[in-house]
Amino acid sequence: MGARVSHFAHRRGAALLRFDNLTLGYNRHPAVHHLQGEIVSGSLLAIVGPNGAGKSTLLKAIAGELRPLQGSIDRGGLDRRQIAYLTQQATLDQTFPIVVHDFVAMGLWREIGAFLGLGRERRRRVHEAIERVGLHGLEKRPIGALSGGQLQRALFARVMLQDAPLVLLDEPYGAIDAASVRDLATLVRLWHDEGRTVIAVLHDLAHVRQEYPETLLLARELVARGETASVLTAANLQRARQLAEGHGDGTEAAICRVDRDAA
Amino acid sequence: MNDFLSSLPLFSPFVEFAFMRRALAGCLALSLGATPIGVFLMLRRMSLAGDAMSHAILPGAAIGYLVAGLSLPAMTLGGLVAGLAVALLAGGVARNTVIKEDTSLATFYLLSLSAGVLIISLRGSSVDLLHVLFGSVLALDDPALLLLGAFASLSIVALALGLRLFVLEACDPSFLARISRLSPLAHYGFMVLLVLNLVAGFHALGTLMAVGIMILPAAAARLWVCNVGPLLLLASGTAFAGSLAGLLLSYHADLPAGPAIVLTLGATYLLSLAVGPLGPLASRWRSSWHFER
């Protein structure tokens, strides 16, 4: 797997995503205000912030599934299909009669499309991915018979096969046990080592401090961004909470920092 | 050989009567073409949409009938046009307004159905209406049989080509939308196949029961297997076996053939509920067994 990803490893350090005055929201109600900055290729970035801070909204916009209300995201020519995006609530129908092997193999869609066969080499990669996430022996099990943690592992295996230069994870450890978190975090580290850019929305700050070199703290606007230790300070977190609450009661909702600065 | 077969109650009707053989061939075509579509209707939680669509083809068939009488090409063409129009209109309204998919489909099929009944009543009798609603599996002529065979062949080829697309569209639609441009094709392509098979089914079983040979075998098979491939095969097999049994039942007990077939398929479903390994009774039995161990 390492050999195949070298083609995007060489771009490490160059800007992969550029936000310019990015404002996002639904039905004209902004949820993220005037975001400015860039994310370099090969980053391992955590997005943290209080509930309603716009973290998932930002991820959705990066994935190209939400048009900005204002400003823009430059994906540097990265196609939407080259982004592996694991959403918080999988839209997946878990009662669907499909076994783990076939489900995971869907990650190969970009290579085989709707018509090509799997072939022996890709079959081997499917098995490898299943083994990597610790689901070995469950290939023939229907996805409906998996536990929450096992399903999340299967979803990670599918992401792995997507072989994407940019991986977006929205609260990937929501309802799973510590052992699963540990295994899946190892996989995320591996993706990082392979030169992929990984951006994850996370709640567990201890986990972020331990695993993520960079953090973006969001509270409907950018609070802080940079090395994790310098971002996750008590002062910054306090400020993020205040901002979120301030926005929450509606009094400050219409005024953004950029607007205030301009005034 | 023929004498021997004619002496068996299971075979004699088919050996002796061409119309029984035609009916059986028609059912085979529907089992191979329409039933797999029914499996996907079920997997996409659109079983009732199939029912709605079957009513939607009525005005088209009725206009064909009004123009050309009981003419196969006219009624087929009319049915296809009306079905596709309703599928497109309903899909378009659902995607672009606050009206949701189910309501959108309901509005158009109700319009369609009432228009259809109205048109038929302008000319013709309640006998004609019965023919359209309940079909005439025992009166399939060569052109009708060819039509059924052609639609089934088309449907099988399309399904084989698009199988992965249809599976993913049913299993994880937003993942498909993310990784492939073909996602709209999966939806509308499926609706076209649905209309095609409903029109085929309506010649044999009528608009009311064409959905029966789609949904009932699919639901019955789902209680036995939990993987798409085997599910498709088992559903088609069940559909054909059920049609065969239904035809025999109708012959020996002198019952109308269409309802006999659909009722037999329904009985298969009820039986599967009772003894299928994924049915409610089996799971109860299994879990009590689990706790005793």
Side-chain angles (χ1 to χ4, degrees), chain B residues 111-234:
Chain B
L111 273 170
S112 218
L113 179 63
S114 42
V117 173
L118 196 82
I119 293 166
I120 292 177
S121 73
L122 287 181
R123 187 186 136 177
S125 61
S126 56
V127 178
D128 298 325
L129 188 59
L130 275 179
H131 168 80
V132 173
L133 290 179
F134 296 102
S136 45
V137 69
L138 297 182
L140 290 175
D141 53 8
D142 281 349
L145 213 50
L146 278 174
L147 182 90
L148 256 64
F151 279 14
S153 309
L154 198 67
S155 179
I156 290 173
V157 171
L159 202 64
L161 282 176
L163 185 63
R164 195 178 284 157
L165 206 57
F166 292 134
V167 166
L168 196 46
E169 164 81 2
C171 172
D172 197 347
S174 61
F175 180 70
L176 178 66
R178 234 165 251 146
I179 57 171
S180 170
R181 288 191 183 87
L182 298 177
S183 164
L185 181 73
H187 176 76
Y188 287 106
F190 179 76
M191 291 309 271
V192 170
L193 285 181
L194 172 63
V195 171
L196 214 61
N197 279 287
L198 283 171
V199 170
F202 124 81
H203 286 297
L205 296 172
T207 59
L208 279 186
M209 284 190 224
V211 189
I213 202 164
M214 292 187 167
I215 298 297
L216 288 169
R222 185 66 186 92
L223 293 166
W224 294 86
V225 293
C226 34
N227 203 358
V228 181
L231 182 60
L232 288 167
L233 294 177
L234 183 61

Side-chain angles (χ1 to χ4, degrees), chain A residues 6-190:
Chain A
S6 56
H7 63 277
F8 47 77
H10 77 272
R11 293 213 317 250
R12 194 187 277 252
L16 180 72
L17 298 169
R18 219 175 250 121
F19 308 128
D20 182 26
N21 188 30
L22 181 66
T23 298
L24 304 166
Y26 304 94
N27 298 326
R28 299 175 166 275
H29 294 292
V32 175
H33 297 256
H34 307 296
L35 206 59
Q36 195 78 34
E38 57 182 44
I39 296 173
V40 297
S41 182
S43 297
L44 177 54
L45 175 73
I47 300 179
V48 298
N51 285 332
K55 306 181 296 290
S56 299
T57 306
L58 176 58
L59 221 52
K60 200 170 179 179
I62 293 174
E65 292 182 13
L66 183 68
R67 207 186 290 271
L69 293 178
Q70 203 187 335
S72 64
I73 304 180
D74 178 7
R75 287 183 201 81
L78 200 64
D79 189 85
R80 207 180 131 183
R81 275 160 283 278
Q82 285 177 285
I83 302 173
Y85 177 26
L86 191 56
T87 48
Q88 199 175 342
Q89 276 121 15
T91 50
L92 154 76
D93 172 11
Q94 228 196 311
T95 61
F96 193 90
I98 187 168
V99 297
V100 170
H101 175 277
D102 298 352
F103 178 73
V104 170
M106 285 172 178
L108 290 171
W109 188 282
R110 200 151 56 90
E111 288 176 43
I112 60 176
F115 309 116
L116 289 185
L118 269 182
R120 196 199 292 175
E121 161 63 13
R122 294 201 187 91
R123 232 173 262 284
R124 188 190 58 71
R125 275 164 56 204
V126 173
H127 280 290
E128 191 186 286
I130 290 174
E131 212 167 285
R132 262 263 162 67
V133 297
L135 290 181
H136 186 63
L138 300 182
E139 286 92 344
K140 296 253 182 304
R141 183 169 292 195
I143 55 166
L146 296 181
S147 70
Q150 286 170 332
L151 184 67
Q152 198 67 1
R153 285 166 188 260
L155 286 164
F156 263 69
R158 191 171 74 175
V159 167
M160 192 168 153
L161 288 177
Q162 280 183 264
D163 193 24
L166 175 58
V167 180
L168 307 174
L169 306 170
D170 196 353
E171 298 193 26
Y173 311 128
I176 61 179
D177 63 21
S180 297
V181 172
R182 205 174 48 234
D183 290 353
L184 296 181
T186 310
L187 209 55
V188 170
R189 228 175 294 137
L190 175 79

